[in-house]
Amino acid sequence: DPLGLPLPDAHVLRALLAFAGVVPEEPGKYTCENCGAPFEVAPSSLLEIGPFTDGELDDPELDRPFDFHASHPIPALRVGRAVCRGVRLVERTVDEALPLLRLPADGALRITPSLVAAMGIAALGRERRAPVIADALARAPDEAWAAIVDLYHEARYPARLVAVHRCQGCGARNDLDVPLERELERAPLRAHEADPDGPAAAGVTAGAAGAFPDLDAFEARVRAAAERVYEARGVRNIDLFIDAGVPACDDGGEPLLGCYTPGTPADELGIARPPEIRIFYRTFRTEARDDPGFDVDAEIVETIDHEVTHHLHHLAGSDPLDDEEHEHIEREQRRRIGHAEALRRARRGALSDLGGFVRATWPAWLIAAVATALAWCEGGR
Ligand SMILES: [Zn+2]
Ligand SMILES: [Zn+2]
């Protein structure tokens, strides 16, 4: 009975059916996190199914089961007369989650006690009564609600249900939720009224550490740090360029904090280029926004020092640090696409026969039953 499936299993099945085209998925609209270019893609079509089909679901990080015993930390919110900073979730089957799964696609989310039960929220802080939890959630600040939604996704969707889209413009890796349709949106609970100061002015830079430096202040800090690092490492004449444009990405699609380019000897016009260290302002800004513990000055020093190491290795004729970085990227890639699948691709450079797998592994009646039971996932509510 598909209704008795634990939600994560149902979502994996949903993702595989979308991947195989049994339950088609419409393309979603996205913007590249690094350069802002818009793109459209059906994320399930990019799912890496190797680990599922080859039984390689044993990665300590990607396949770690969600902890249903712990109280997971969230930004503070008021619950009844207490302030709570943790939430505990319990497992849910499709059946138990139906009040949530059957919500209309668009329309405001109304948080009721039955919705709290469907979400599987067992406790907010020490509070366990669903009506009190529902009240608290309905009034929760955005950051607290967003954290709870993220935890909900973590609990119901295995970490492997992600599509990696590489931006055609800048090469950045964009991780997309698979399947596209999810029962709880990663969006604020309430629409915001227009605010003349703008959410960016208030939200992005506010924090204990104060505002992120503007470009001029950032450049001054980078140059001061470089002077100290160059002296300590005994190097000079490496150009330092603070790049405020779209950050370059590494081979894995991660936007770089900095990069090193060796110099070139004089060409036929007699123009030689000195070696260069480039620091990407926007990557620093993004990191600082996403991680309140990001120490801008310490990271500037570490980045310059790292690039100086590349420089010295280059001068010495070989760069083991660069080799290490490439190996790391390849290792991460293999974990994600699966070891057997990586071998197959290396051998024949082709995709495996997915549709065949799905049809052979699950009998047709089960696929039909699940497709019907999960009709909510394609908006057929
Ligand atoms: Zn891009
Ligand atoms: Zn490096």
Short mmCIF file of all heavy atoms in Angstrom, two decimals, residues 102-110 181-183 185 379 381:
data_model
loop_
_atom_site.label_atom_id
_atom_site.label_comp_id
_atom_site.label_asym_id
_atom_site.label_seq_id
_atom_site.Cartn_x
_atom_site.Cartn_y
_atom_site.Cartn_z
N ARG A 102 -2.20 17.31 0.54
CA ARG A 102 -3.37 17.67 -0.26
C ARG A 102 -3.69 19.15 -0.24
O ARG A 102 -4.72 19.57 -0.75
CB ARG A 102 -4.59 16.89 0.28
CG ARG A 102 -4.51 15.41 -0.02
CD ARG A 102 -5.84 14.90 -0.51
NE ARG A 102 -5.70 13.56 -1.07
CZ ARG A 102 -6.21 12.47 -0.51
NH1 ARG A 102 -6.90 12.57 0.62
NH2 ARG A 102 -6.05 11.30 -1.08
N LEU A 103 -2.78 19.95 0.33
CA LEU A 103 -3.03 21.39 0.35
C LEU A 103 -3.08 21.92 -1.07
O LEU A 103 -2.37 21.43 -1.94
CB LEU A 103 -1.90 22.11 1.09
CG LEU A 103 -1.92 22.03 2.60
CD1 LEU A 103 -0.70 22.74 3.16
CD2 LEU A 103 -3.19 22.66 3.15
N PRO A 104 -3.91 22.93 -1.31
CA PRO A 104 -3.92 23.53 -2.65
C PRO A 104 -2.55 24.12 -2.96
O PRO A 104 -1.85 24.58 -2.07
CB PRO A 104 -4.98 24.63 -2.55
CG PRO A 104 -5.24 24.83 -1.10
CD PRO A 104 -4.85 23.57 -0.39
N ALA A 105 -2.20 24.06 -4.25
CA ALA A 105 -0.85 24.45 -4.67
C ALA A 105 -0.57 25.91 -4.35
O ALA A 105 0.45 26.24 -3.78
CB ALA A 105 -0.68 24.23 -6.16
N ASP A 106 -1.51 26.77 -4.72
CA ASP A 106 -1.27 28.17 -4.38
C ASP A 106 -2.39 28.62 -3.45
O ASP A 106 -3.47 28.09 -3.46
CB ASP A 106 -1.22 29.05 -5.63
CG ASP A 106 -2.05 28.47 -6.74
OD1 ASP A 106 -3.28 28.35 -6.55
OD2 ASP A 106 -1.48 28.09 -7.78
N GLY A 107 -2.09 29.56 -2.66
CA GLY A 107 -3.01 29.92 -1.60
C GLY A 107 -2.23 29.89 -0.33
O GLY A 107 -1.23 29.18 -0.22
N ALA A 108 -2.69 30.67 0.63
CA ALA A 108 -1.92 30.81 1.86
C ALA A 108 -1.96 29.51 2.65
O ALA A 108 -2.95 28.80 2.66
CB ALA A 108 -2.48 31.97 2.67
N LEU A 109 -0.87 29.22 3.28
CA LEU A 109 -0.77 28.05 4.14
C LEU A 109 -1.40 28.42 5.49
O LEU A 109 -0.97 29.38 6.12
CB LEU A 109 0.71 27.69 4.32
CG LEU A 109 1.04 26.46 5.14
CD1 LEU A 109 0.50 25.22 4.46
CD2 LEU A 109 2.54 26.35 5.32
N ARG A 110 -2.43 27.68 5.88
CA ARG A 110 -3.02 27.94 7.20
C ARG A 110 -2.54 26.87 8.16
O ARG A 110 -2.74 25.68 7.92
CB ARG A 110 -4.54 27.95 7.12
CG ARG A 110 -5.08 29.34 6.79
CD ARG A 110 -6.58 29.46 7.06
NE ARG A 110 -6.95 29.07 8.41
CZ ARG A 110 -7.78 28.05 8.70
NH1 ARG A 110 -8.29 27.32 7.72
NH2 ARG A 110 -8.10 27.76 9.94
N GLU A 181 8.15 19.61 -7.40
CA GLU A 181 6.97 19.85 -6.57
C GLU A 181 7.23 19.33 -5.17
O GLU A 181 7.47 18.14 -4.97
CB GLU A 181 5.76 19.12 -7.16
CG GLU A 181 5.23 19.75 -8.42
CD GLU A 181 4.27 20.90 -8.14
OE1 GLU A 181 3.87 21.07 -6.96
OE2 GLU A 181 3.93 21.60 -9.09
N ARG A 182 7.16 20.22 -4.21
CA ARG A 182 7.30 19.81 -2.82
C ARG A 182 6.14 20.37 -2.02
O ARG A 182 5.62 21.44 -2.35
CB ARG A 182 8.65 20.25 -2.25
CG ARG A 182 9.81 19.55 -2.97
CD ARG A 182 11.09 19.61 -2.20
NE ARG A 182 12.07 18.67 -2.75
CZ ARG A 182 13.21 18.38 -2.15
NH1 ARG A 182 13.54 18.94 -1.02
NH2 ARG A 182 14.04 17.51 -2.69
N GLU A 183 5.74 19.61 -1.01
CA GLU A 183 4.50 19.96 -0.32
C GLU A 183 4.62 21.21 0.54
O GLU A 183 3.62 21.82 0.89
CB GLU A 183 4.01 18.77 0.52
CG GLU A 183 4.95 18.30 1.62
CD GLU A 183 5.99 17.30 1.12
OE1 GLU A 183 6.34 17.34 -0.08
OE2 GLU A 183 6.46 16.48 1.93
N GLU A 185 6.69 24.86 0.75
CA GLU A 185 7.58 25.72 0.00
C GLU A 185 8.64 26.35 0.89
O GLU A 185 8.35 26.74 2.01
CB GLU A 185 6.78 26.84 -0.66
CG GLU A 185 6.50 26.60 -2.12
CD GLU A 185 5.93 27.86 -2.74
OE1 GLU A 185 6.74 28.72 -3.13
OE2 GLU A 185 4.70 27.96 -2.81
N GLY A 379 0.23 18.43 -9.20
CA GLY A 379 -0.74 19.51 -9.18
C GLY A 379 -2.16 19.06 -9.47
O GLY A 379 -3.05 19.87 -9.62
N ARG A 381 -4.63 18.13 -7.85
CA ARG A 381 -5.31 17.98 -6.57
C ARG A 381 -6.80 18.13 -6.71
O ARG A 381 -7.26 19.05 -7.27
CB ARG A 381 -4.80 19.02 -5.59
CG ARG A 381 -3.32 18.89 -5.40
CD ARG A 381 -2.80 20.00 -4.52
NE ARG A 381 -1.37 19.83 -4.36
CZ ARG A 381 -0.50 20.45 -5.11
NH1 ARG A 381 -0.91 21.24 -6.07
NH2 ARG A 381 0.79 20.27 -4.94
#
